Amino acid sequence: MRPFLATCLGAACTAALALPPGPALVRPAEAAAGSGAARTGDLPGATQSLPLDGLGRRAAAPHGPTVREVSSGTRRPFSLVGVVWDDAATPLPGRAEVRTRARGSGRWSGWQNLATAGEDAPDPGAGEGRGGTARGSTAPLWVGASDAVQLRLTLTPGTTPGPTGGVDAASPATRAVGVLPHGLRLELVDPGPDTPALRGAPPTGPEAVASSAANAPLAPLGATEIPAADEIAARADLAAVGGTDPAGPAHIGARPRIVTRAGWGADEMLREARFAYTRTVRAAFVHHSGTGNNYTCAEAPSVIRAMYRFHVLSSHWRDIGYNFLIDRCGTVYEGRAGGVAKPVLGAHTLGFNNDSTGIALLGTFEETAPPRAAVTALARLTAWKLGLHGADPLGRASMTSTGGDRYPKGTVVRQRVISGHRDGVKTECPGALLYADLPAVRQTAARLQGR
């Protein structure tokens, strides 16, 4: 990297990052370590990974926040932004914000917050993180087609950086307040063009075939969607999870239409090849994606592809973290591979990924209300998915934490069968306004199950 050019006035420091001639692209060897290293496939898309180690080379101001700004222009467009660092157990001691320059118009956006995402993570000991290398990260933010970015990092007062972006472990301020994590990187993700030809391409490699085949018998091989089915037809879905006789008693809601991974254009060569399952699904944890609300329904597949790349190549997870995603128009998308009816182990609620499913509404709903279509789709999806596993949306389930910031490892918690992310960990997710909708979602899902 070329050196930072910095000027300081009081407690505010602004740094302009001089980039090398070409973009820094994530290569497979850099994206993951060990035998499960990610491989780039034939589908388009790219990740520019920009080191930020120089942010830690000057001591923070002793009083008040220290603001660092990084500017970069790139030769490749991008549409999603996030920050990652080496150790997932180390928090980012401050607030990260970005603003981006729209490709074409040259207009700069306002400053947007990168939400903390430490609680959207694999469980400890789950075999995730490609051999134990899962990174810490902010939530990714969808910014639309852009060609330049500025990052503003407002540090917690008292943070003591070390000479290479780390810290002096002997510093009292470090022990009391926090550290700048090692390996800070700004990730700029291009999801690639969104065309029906690419998203509907027949599966050609073993990973793509396996991903599609996991949804049998709900849809044929290579299907871009799983069709909706009424309550009677949905009983047959029990066979996909080894459930009871479809003719027997069951409270299962109608199956919603679900866009498959082939339908949103997942590059199956990126993820870890094997599928991971838990025993059953006893609860659904509801999230907002934190990616912002600045997307159209037509752009939703691109948002998901970008998030997928960020989770796998930037955060080093085995696959996208959520089991399902729902866009603002109420379209339901398959998330993590392994079969929509099956108990696929996700990476969405630290400590409670076992025996649960994670559903993310695309958007940020702390101050903006979630669209009615999305909330309705959430009720329909939970009525079907929980019904397949015999779970009552109005009930509670005893769940044992595998470790997190809200409940220590081994703590037994009576979680609601439909819970918000904040019920499992200390977070604002799924946003105050979406969380307020959950009582009505439980009632509607139970009614759709015929309870």
Side-chain angles (χ1 to χ4, degrees):
M1 291 296 297
R2 296 180 182 177
F4 280 79
L5 307 175
T7 59
C8 297
L9 180 61
C13 296
T14 301
L17 178 61
L19 295 176
L25 301 180
V26 168
R27 296 179 176 86
E30 298 171 334
S35 60
R39 295 160 295 158
T40 54
D42 296 328
L43 296 180
T47 300
Q48 301 172 76
S49 187
L50 310 180
L52 300 174
D53 288 339
L55 281 174
R57 290 176 182 162
R58 291 174 289 106
H63 304 290
T66 296
V67 179
R68 310 285 178 85
E69 291 187 9
V70 175
S71 299
S72 79
T74 74
R75 292 184 179 179
R76 295 179 64 96
F78 59 92
S79 297
L80 182 138
V81 179
V83 173
V84 299
W85 53 94
D86 289 346
D87 185 3
T90 301
L92 186 66
R95 184 177 70 255
E97 300 168 284
V98 295
R99 67 172 187 155
T100 53
R101 188 176 67 193
R103 188 184 185 200
S105 71
R107 295 177 181 173
W108 284 89
S109 70
W111 288 101
Q112 301 181 78
N113 185 54
L114 294 176
T116 302
E119 308 86 359
D120 288 15
D123 282 340
E128 192 120 9
R130 300 186 180 275
T133 60
R135 286 172 166 171
S137 68
T138 66
L141 177 70
W142 179 260
V143 295
S146 305
D147 59 14
V149 60
Q150 289 184 332
L151 168 68
R152 183 165 68 186
L153 180 62
T154 304
L155 303 178
T156 303
T159 300
T160 305
T164 60
V167 297
D168 177 3
S171 166
T174 294
R175 293 196 299 270
V177 180
V179 302
L180 269 178
H182 286 276
L184 276 174
R185 305 184 75 87
L186 179 63
E187 303 287 287
L188 309 177
V189 182
D190 171 19
D194 188 57
T195 65
L198 287 174
R199 289 192 281 119
T204 55
E207 291 88 353
V209 171
S211 179
S212 184
N215 284 317
L218 278 63
L221 190 67
T224 58
E225 66 176 58
I226 297 169
D230 63 22
E231 294 88 339
I232 302 301
R235 289 175 178 268
D237 296 346
L238 284 167
V241 294
T244 59
D245 185 339
H251 292 283
I252 303 174
R255 184 211 305 152
R257 171 181 171 268
I258 303 172
V259 175
T260 65
R261 291 170 64 91
W264 54 261
D267 186 343
E268 301 293 354
M269 293 288 284
L270 297 181
R271 63 170 175 82
E272 185 179 279
R274 70 184 182 93
F275 303 141
Y277 297 98
T278 185
R279 295 166 298 177
T280 186
V281 175
R282 297 188 292 125
F285 284 96
V286 178
H287 303 250
H288 64 183
S289 63
T291 47
N293 304 311
N294 187 28
Y295 74 94
T296 66
C297 294
E299 290 177 315
S302 295
V303 176
I304 297 171
R305 287 199 308 278
M307 190 185 307
Y308 171 46
R309 293 187 68 91
F310 184 83
H311 283 177
V312 176
L313 295 184
S314 301
S315 299
H316 293 183
W317 299 356
R318 67 162 53 98
D319 196 347
I320 193 169
Y322 306 114
N323 298 98
F324 297 93
L325 303 102
I326 300 173
D327 71 17
R328 64 194 309 152
C329 290
T331 301
V332 178
Y333 299 85
E334 177 185 16
R336 182 162 284 209
V340 295
K342 299 175 182 178
V344 177
L345 177 66
H348 49 83
T349 305
L350 182 63
F352 294 97
N353 289 308
N354 286 328
D355 295 350
S356 71
T357 193
I359 304 170
L361 272 63
L362 293 179
T364 303
F365 304 117
E366 191 61 33
E367 298 178 353
T368 301
R372 288 297 92 193
V375 176
T376 299
L378 173 63
R380 291 174 176 167
L381 175 61
T382 51
W384 173 74
K385 178 68 175 181
L386 293 171
L388 290 177
H389 298 271
D392 181 354
L394 295 175
R396 290 182 180 267
S398 293
M399 307 189 74
T400 302
S401 172
T402 59
D405 61 4
R406 188 178 182 91
Y407 297 105
K409 182 178 180 179
T411 304
V412 178
V413 184
R414 291 279 293 170
Q415 295 282 14
R416 291 186 179 275
V417 168
I418 298 180
S419 287
H421 187 189
R422 63 177 64 182
D423 294 320
V425 293
K426 295 178 180 178
T427 177
E428 295 181 350
C429 182
L433 298 183
L434 176 54
Y435 190 76
D437 281 332
L438 294 188
V441 168
R442 297 181 190 110
Q443 293 287 341
T444 300
R447 176 176 56 80
L448 292 173
Q449 283 188 349
R451 296 184 184 272

